[in-house]
Amino acid sequence: MSKEFATRAENYSEWYNHIVTKADLAEHAAVKGCMVIKPYGYSIWEKMQQALDQMFKDTGHENAYFPLLIPKSFFSKEASHVEGFAKECAVVTHYRLKNGPDGTVIVDEEAKLAEELIIRPTSETIIWNTYKGWIQSYRDLPLLINQWANVVRWEMRTRLFLRTAEFLWQEGHTAHATSQEAIEETERMLGVYADFAENWMAVPVIKGKKTANERFAGALDTYCIEAMMQDGKALQAGTSHFLGQNFAKAFDVKFTSKEGKQDYVWATSWGVSTRLMGALVMAHSDDQGLVLPPKLAPFQVVIVPIYKTEEDLLKINAKVEEIRKSLISKGIRVKYDNRDTQRPGWKFAEYEFKGVPLRIAIGPKDMENGTVEVARRDTREKEVLQMVDLDNKIEHLLSQIQDNLFQKALSFRDQNIRRVDTYDEFKKTLNENPGFILAHWDGTAETEQKIKEETKATIRCIPLQAEERDVKPGICIYSGKPSERRVLFSLAY
RNA sequence: CGGGGUGUAGCGUAGCCCGGUUAGCGCGCCAGCAUGGGGUGCUGGAGGUCGGAGGUUCGAAUCCUCUCACCCCGACCA
């Protein structure tokens, strides 16, 4: 393990890169901008998927799968949608290779596709093209579908998990009979994301609505959850879009209502991606490495034996087997590492770096005293516990760690949300105390754009839940014009 | 995609400006012995042709050209 490990204060982005690569979450692939998600990292992603998938099912959704390749013509059907994605699409133009003159493989120019195919940057078009055949009557509605998939967006500047050319995500695509119902769905799924972020990832989020500038291409409204990273920057952790009838019109998806009238259906789409992995790392980890919330940790407890003789080890093995069984019966994920090839201290450091929430060490002294040493990753505290009732104690500790991580992140965030009333103050705050800023804005795209150009800060969202004092009228920090309420500004990932 | 930087063994690096012995070091790896409650010590050993291609030269990690990847800044974006 690297001992020349950058701290957050020294170099935040280097620190992030080191955690991701050295904790075995992911590494760069041979393809530019793409990553290999390694087993340890993928295991965390699987935990996320499982939790989210259950939440989607619990809210009535079903999974399906749509193609990776989308006919180019589909993209031109919704004007703002094309515009939003045109610059970052990978295009498939041929379907065959052949041997070149010098023995290399070349594209067979004769095998040109009649219509080029786009590797999906998102699936609205292919899905709505399909929905046309599925929806005729109000009885077919609502249609509540989710898909787990990969998408490709040809990014100019990439970072592991935060922005890669290919990433994994889920995209929900629903169709409804009324606008009202679709808006409710949009809000419901935003709620699911917030719930997941806070209760599984232990990352507090602010729910809000995007301004027109930041809205998804093709949406009437985009809702989001915004999380604060330890450097004070915002990370959009999930989005939920109310698409109105834009895609229904573009793909001619109509239904007959109870009253026998024809109308276009109302749509939503919503998604979270492997970017959540980046959020997870940047929300909790410290200068000793990764810190994982118990609910998403591939293993929640690691047990390390300490012994001199083979005889000691055998005794410990037997004892640990009891402990392991009792923990497993509580649904706790346990790893027992009794490899003789690494020493205890090495293992301690290793599992700390990988963010395992709890470590149990058990040696001859413990065997004599009926105790174990338990170390928490979040606080780095150690205590000696009686083995009696250990499973309950561990279960309790894990839930404490989960809570503690959330509380820590929450108080960090709240300490770094500031209200400012002048542009000078705004710039000064961005400079000296990076974090979220609640400030008045006149509601125009021009002002938003100007502020962005001059300070790099953007309006992350118009919070859905705000304190009384933040929804009172005021004066725009930039233009001096009247403002209805404060909105949330920040530098962002 | 524009500007700047980096690329030497699995990782971290020295050497490069001022071309010239088998490219050095630390960690890790392998073997043995000792050790064993926070990255164990000693001894011995293996591993790199210097991101890739081309060029200059008697000779290139070192100079030149092109290219690829990564990092930082900018534009764009989840």
Side-chain angles (χ1 to χ4, degrees):
Chain A
M1 201 53 57
S2 168
K3 278 158 194 165
E4 310 81 16
F5 180 62
T7 63
R8 286 163 293 182
E10 282 164 9
N11 188 335
Y12 193 81
S13 62
E14 195 181 335
W15 165 83
Y16 173 80
N17 288 336
H18 276 164
I19 296 218
V20 170
T21 52
K22 308 294 181 191
D24 278 335
L25 301 181
E27 64 185 36
H28 288 283
V31 185
K32 184 189 174 81
C34 293
M35 65 178 165
V36 173
I37 304 177
K38 299 181 75 176
Y40 193 63
Y42 198 78
S43 171
I44 298 169
W45 174 241
E46 283 180 317
K47 292 273 170 303
M48 291 183 171
Q49 282 186 300
Q50 283 161 15
L52 284 163
D53 199 61
Q54 192 56 53
M55 293 166 109
F56 299 154
K57 305 259 168 75
D58 289 346
T59 42
H61 302 85
E62 295 178 293
N63 285 332
Y65 187 79
F66 297 85
L68 170 72
L69 301 172
I70 300 175
K72 191 180 72 178
S73 58
F74 282 22
F75 272 81
S76 44
K77 297 199 178 182
E78 214 290 328
S80 55
H81 189 65
V82 210
E83 218 178 293
F85 287 104
K87 295 143 293 183
E88 50 187 38
C89 285
V91 184
V92 177
T93 54
H94 293 77
Y95 59 86
R96 194 163 59 216
L97 299 172
K98 65 178 185 184
N99 288 322
D102 55 356
T104 58
V105 172
I106 60 170
V107 172
D108 185 344
E109 289 300 337
E110 286 175 19
K112 204 166 163 44
L113 289 168
E115 179 176 4
E116 287 120 344
L117 298 168
I118 312 300
I119 300 178
R120 62 182 165 215
T122 178
S123 303
E124 273 77 6
T125 58
I126 184 80
I127 285 178
W128 280 87
N129 172 74
T130 308
Y131 281 2
K132 178 178 167 58
W134 292 3
I135 299 169
Q136 279 93 39
S137 151
Y138 73 92
R139 291 176 180 158
D140 299 322
L141 298 172
L143 183 58
L144 306 173
I145 306 282
N146 174 64
Q147 95 163 335
W148 289 96
N150 58 338
V151 288
V152 168
R153 297 181 188 175
W154 213 261
E155 297 292 346
M156 292 296 110
R157 197 173 162 187
T158 59
R159 300 199 56 192
L160 293 172
F161 288 120
L162 298 173
R163 174 163 294 109
T164 46
E166 179 189 9
F167 57 93
L168 305 183
W169 78 345
Q170 60 66 217
E171 44 181 327
H173 295 274
T174 69
H176 306 263
T178 66
S179 157
Q180 161 94 19
E181 220 184 86
I183 291 172
E184 279 168 16
E185 166 77 1
T186 310
E187 289 170 350
R188 178 181 310 114
M189 299 323 286
L190 187 75
V192 163
Y193 288 155
D195 180 12
F196 173 76
E198 301 199 331
N199 293 312
W200 287 79
M201 296 174 65
V203 173
V205 292
I206 290 175
K207 290 193 275 189
K209 198 184 261 199
K210 288 291 189 191
T211 62
N213 274 349
E214 301 278 326
R215 200 179 282 154
F216 173 72
L220 263 46
D221 264 321
T222 287
Y223 296 80
C224 61
I225 52 173
E226 297 285 332
M228 187 188 290
M229 303 294 99
Q230 290 182 65
D231 59 354
K233 285 167 81 173
L235 187 141
Q236 178 177 305
T239 50
S240 184
H241 314 290
F242 170 55
L243 302 172
Q245 294 175 309
N246 287 351
F247 285 93
K249 284 177 181 164
F251 289 90
D252 192 35
V253 184
K254 292 185 208 163
F255 73 105
T256 308
S257 69
K258 234 179 237 180
E259 295 76 32
K261 280 194 287 192
Q262 288 263 306
D263 195 8
Y264 290 109
V265 302
W266 298 82
T268 81
S269 70
W270 28 274
V272 296
S273 70
T274 35
R275 187 176 223 212
L276 290 178
M277 295 287 293
L280 193 67
V281 170
M282 288 199 289
H284 303 307
S285 299
D286 60 24
D287 294 340
Q288 275 70 44
L290 189 61
V291 175
L292 292 173
K295 284 190 178 177
L296 294 175
F299 37 96
Q300 301 163 306
V301 178
V302 62
I303 305 177
V304 176
I306 291 154
Y307 59 93
K308 282 187 191 166
T309 65
E310 191 66 18
E311 199 190 354
D312 286 343
L313 178 60
L314 288 174
K315 282 187 200 155
I316 293 171
N317 282 346
K319 179 50 88 181
V320 168
E321 190 48 27
E322 282 174 33
I323 295 173
R324 215 174 62 87
K325 275 186 181 147
S326 75
L327 292 177
I328 287 171
S329 73
K330 289 257 171 203
I332 295 168
R333 299 186 287 276
V334 193
K335 173 172 179 165
Y336 179 41
D337 185 354
N338 64 350
R339 285 177 299 172
D340 192 36
T341 50
Q342 315 292 352
R343 298 167 47 102
W346 189 93
K347 293 176 188 173
F348 291 178
E350 172 77 3
Y351 292 116
E352 255 165 40
F353 196 84
K354 289 192 151 192
V356 180
L358 275 181
R359 177 185 75 235
I360 297 177
I362 176 165
K365 284 182 219 160
D366 296 302
M367 293 296 284
E368 254 173 58
N369 304 331
T371 58
V372 293
E373 182 196 78
V374 177
R376 289 171 64 147
R377 178 63 183 85
D378 62 333
T379 59
R380 311 192 78 226
E381 288 166 353
K382 287 195 282 199
E383 61 178 328
V384 174
L385 295 181
Q386 291 294 320
M387 278 189 215
V388 180
D389 202 29
L390 189 64
D391 51 350
N392 284 318
K393 292 173 188 165
I394 294 294
E395 189 179 40
H396 181 65
L397 271 172
L398 287 171
S399 116
Q400 267 189 1
I401 292 171
Q402 183 80 30
D403 288 349
N404 177 247
L405 288 177
F406 179 76
Q407 287 305 332
K408 231 161 93 180
L410 182 63
S411 69
F412 175 82
R413 185 194 73 187
D414 288 346
Q415 277 163 27
N416 290 289
I417 299 182
R418 297 182 180 80
R419 287 169 183 77
V420 310
D421 293 310
T422 67
Y423 196 45
D424 281 343
E425 217 185 322
F426 182 85
K427 287 187 282 196
K428 190 164 173 249
T429 303
L430 274 178
N431 215 16
E432 293 171 6
N433 299 297
F436 291 177
I437 297 178
L438 284 165
H440 282 286
W441 165 57
D442 63 19
T444 67
E446 296 73 52
T447 296
E448 185 181 8
Q449 193 57 35
K450 284 286 179 201
I451 293 175
K452 182 179 177 180
E453 282 166 18
E454 292 172 22
T455 68
K456 309 279 168 238
T458 49
I459 299 177
R460 299 321 302 154
C461 69
I462 302 158
L464 295 182
Q465 287 136 357
E467 289 180 31
E468 186 76 32
R469 57 175 164 162
D470 295 329
V471 290
K472 288 182 178 157
I475 293 167
C476 174
I477 52 161
Y478 190 82
S479 66
K481 289 180 190 158
S483 150
E484 287 171 24
R485 54 166 298 170
R486 289 177 191 272
V487 298
L488 191 73
F489 285 90
S490 179
L491 300 174
Y493 278 96

